[in-house]
Amino acid sequence: MYYLIFMISLRKINTLLIIVIVVMLLNHAVLSLLYLYGVISYSPDFQITGRRLFYPIVAHIIISLYLYFKDRPRHVNRYSALISDTRQQMISGIFIILFAALHILGYSFNPMGSESTFYYSVYHFIVDNMLFASIALHLRIS
């Protein structure tokens, strides 16, 4: 009984973390778009967003991996669609981490507000769109 209550609460905590992460990412995206269209000036919040997102994302990864490995033996060969979705979610999560790291790295080398070359613009465009696609795929399965 205690095990069931513990698992339910972990799933609820993970769901709350996802909501917090999505709201913070939407805030970052809206502020970035407003900046790119010249509505607002540059704000340090663009960089601080990553620091604020770090702990909820790490907690989400740890809880998700724990639940994945805990539930894995119970669903062997019974729910092939669920197993496939879980694998897709894990792979898309890995791509999110990869593209988020490239996103941060790209803006470290060429910060907002500085002159951008054509190659940096293409790099940002590709990495950011791949990050958005990975997040969309990851959330689609949720």
Side-chain angles (χ1 to χ4, degrees), residues 38 51 59 61 65 70-71 84 95 106 113 127:
R51 294 182 201 134
I61 291 169
L65 286 174
K70 201 70 162 167
D71 291 344
S84 173
F95 278 116
V127 168

Side-chain angles (χ1 to χ4, degrees), residues 2-126:
Y2 174 76
Y3 175 74
L4 181 62
I5 292 171
F6 180 69
M7 294 305 294
I8 291 172
S9 65
L10 269 183
R11 292 187 193 286
K12 288 182 181 177
I13 290 169
N14 209 18
T15 302
L16 290 174
L17 285 171
I18 292 167
I19 292 169
V20 167
I21 292 167
V22 167
V23 167
M24 291 175 77
L25 284 173
L26 286 173
N27 177 47
H28 181 64
V30 168
L31 286 177
S32 297
L33 284 174
L34 291 175
Y35 170 73
L36 290 174
Y37 285 113
V39 176
I40 62 172
S41 60
Y42 179 78
S43 169
D45 282 343
F46 298 138
Q47 294 176 352
I48 294 171
T49 300
R51 294 182 201 134
R52 290 181 188 152
L53 277 169
F54 179 75
Y55 294 112
I57 288 175
V58 168
H60 170 67
I61 291 169
I62 291 170
I63 291 171
S64 297
L65 286 174
Y66 174 78
L67 292 172
Y68 173 77
F69 288 117
K70 201 70 162 167
D71 291 344
R72 202 168 124 188
R74 286 191 260 156
H75 297 298
V76 175
N77 295 329
R78 286 186 30 198
Y79 304 107
S80 61
L82 178 66
I83 292 170
S84 173
D85 284 349
T86 305
R87 277 194 201 121
Q88 287 177 13
Q89 198 162 30
M90 186 172 285
I91 291 168
S92 65
I94 291 168
F95 278 116
I96 289 170
I97 293 169
L98 173 72
F99 289 123
L102 290 173
H103 172 80
I104 293 166
L105 190 65
Y107 283 104
S108 296
F109 289 129
N110 186 25
M112 292 182 84
S114 66
E115 284 296 316
S116 182
T117 65
F118 173 75
Y119 297 110
Y120 272 121
S121 298
V122 170
Y123 171 84
H124 290 308
F125 179 78
I126 291 171

